[in-house]
Amino acid sequence: MNHFQAPSSLSAPIIQSLLRTDRIGQVLSIEKEVESTNMTATTLFRNGASHGTVVLAERQTSGRGRLGRQWFSPPNHNLYCSVILEVPSSSSQLSWLPLLTGMSIIESLHKELGIRLSLKWPNDIVIQSHKLGGVLCEGITDSRNRYCVVSGFGINVNMRKEDFPPELQDVATSLSIETGKIQDRNRLISSILAILAGNFTLLEKRYFETIRDCYLFLCSTIGQKIRVDLASGACLEGLAEDIGLDGALHIRPTLTETCFPSLENGIIKIRSGDIIHVR
Ligand code: BTN
């Protein structure tokens, strides 16, 4: 693979010229370095930024992952992006936002590169159990009681295996590792934002069944034996049976360390947690 050719820089004029939506990315800033694009987008929202505002960075010094983890964010090779999405704070649309973001990334990478990725519930972007990207959504309220979700996502684009730290080399991957080519980040992000805008419209129209069907098609967790480490510290094993109309994962437990009061017809519904596909 020829990695000696440097990937081109992110460019707002190029991304906006390729954008096929007027609902996301009309206001778009590209920073050389930030702590976390989610933090920058949160500050922008608190200073009045509105729906569809996008922050991209070439590098993050404190990239944040799910469940309090860090997100490895070296300069110039990847996508680190946060989008302000305004939704009513009490709405049933909220729980879908992280899953919808993951879906949009997979759909656009398939459209642009012909590559088949899948979602490990809720929104890990994987290929043959190697992680290519992830999504971190955070709900924010400003001083005037406006509410939004900052949907942040990171995608490993032009990293070589040796660019990852040793502990990630066997569990992470990138688009250039998978395709053998340097990829054009401007083209990819404009496609992702356009598809996210289209999927967000489905959510606004409350087409939950359509969204769930699309999600199920892309999700590799359903039908698998899984182990879940819950935020409470509890752990359960079982069969991942379905996704609810709210995006929750339905699990038929085979082994639990804890007694779950929320068992409905033998099913536990979880809304967050760390899943391991058990063979
Ligand atoms: C995960 O743990 O899978 C989620 C990773 C999300 C990382 C992205 S990179 C852009 C945005 N800013 C952050 O600090 N985190 C998200």
Side-chain angles (χ1 to χ4, degrees):
M1 192 194 322
N2 175 10
H3 267 92
F4 298 106
Q5 173 203 349
S8 53
S9 307
L10 291 168
S11 153
I14 294 177
I15 294 167
Q16 286 175 321
S17 73
L18 295 170
L19 258 185
R20 296 280 170 269
T21 172
D22 57 7
R23 297 209 59 206
I24 287 184
Q26 305 312 299
V27 178
L28 182 146
S29 63
I30 298 178
E31 309 296 334
K32 196 139 197 59
E33 180 180 295
V34 293
E35 281 181 63
S36 149
T37 55
N38 272 24
M39 285 164 72
T40 307
T42 299
T43 306
L44 288 177
F45 180 71
R46 293 200 166 127
N47 289 331
S50 56
H51 179 83
T53 300
V54 171
V55 180
L56 284 156
E58 288 286 9
R59 172 173 190 234
Q60 298 185 117
T61 53
S62 300
R64 305 203 292 230
R66 286 178 62 236
L67 308 169
R69 298 188 183 122
Q70 292 183 337
W71 187 255
F72 180 60
S73 308
N76 306 330
H77 283 82
N78 298 324
L79 285 170
Y80 314 115
C81 178
S82 298
V83 184
I84 293 175
L85 298 172
E86 285 194 65
V87 275
S89 62
S90 59
S91 98
S92 47
Q93 298 156 339
L94 276 183
S95 56
W96 273 110
L97 281 174
L99 290 78
L100 196 85
T101 305
M103 267 170 59
S104 306
I105 293 168
I106 294 206
E107 286 172 18
S108 67
L109 296 180
H110 182 242
K111 179 167 166 246
E112 296 299 323
L113 308 177
I115 188 170
R116 281 259 175 235
L117 303 159
S118 65
L119 284 162
K120 183 160 84 79
W121 188 91
N123 43 38
D124 275 0
I125 293 152
V126 295
I127 181 157
Q128 280 150 8
S129 72
H130 287 79
K131 186 153 167 170
L132 187 117
V135 180
L136 175 69
C137 283
E138 299 178 288
I140 313 292
T141 307
D142 75 2
S143 54
R144 286 176 293 151
N145 239 9
R146 285 161 71 227
Y147 180 80
C148 82
V149 168
V150 169
S151 181
F153 55 89
I155 304 173
N156 301 324
V157 181
N158 288 317
M159 304 269 289
R160 298 167 302 181
K161 188 167 177 172
E162 58 268 35
D163 297 329
F164 288 102
E167 67 277 15
L168 294 181
Q169 287 188 3
D170 292 331
V171 291
T173 190
S174 74
L175 288 172
S176 67
I177 293 172
E178 298 302 327
T179 62
K181 289 187 194 141
I182 297 272
Q183 297 298 343
D184 178 346
R185 292 177 298 156
N186 291 311
R187 176 179 145 214
L188 296 178
I189 191 65
S190 57
S191 169
I192 292 168
L193 296 176
I195 290 184
L196 180 61
N199 283 335
F200 189 79
T201 304
L202 295 179
L203 194 65
E204 283 180 317
K205 292 183 174 163
R206 309 175 69 83
Y207 289 169
F208 298 128
E209 288 187 18
T210 308
I211 294 170
R212 181 179 61 178
D213 288 350
C214 292
Y215 184 87
L216 283 171
F217 181 70
L218 300 174
C219 178
S220 54
T221 301
I222 303 307
Q224 298 265 355
K225 275 169 110 178
I226 57 167
R227 198 172 70 237
V228 191
D229 294 320
L230 297 164
S232 63
C235 170
L236 80 100
E237 275 189 28
L239 179 68
E241 277 203 347
D242 204 357
I243 301 288
L245 279 177
D246 57 354
L249 180 63
H250 294 188
I251 304 167
R252 186 169 297 280
T254 47
L255 178 70
T256 63
E257 283 176 1
T258 320
C259 181
F260 284 88
S262 56
L263 218 60
E264 277 173 45
N265 299 325
I267 295 287
I268 293 172
K269 299 177 182 177
I270 61 162
R271 286 182 180 75
S272 72
D274 210 13
I275 299 287
I276 296 161
H277 291 179
V278 185
R279 291 186 194 275

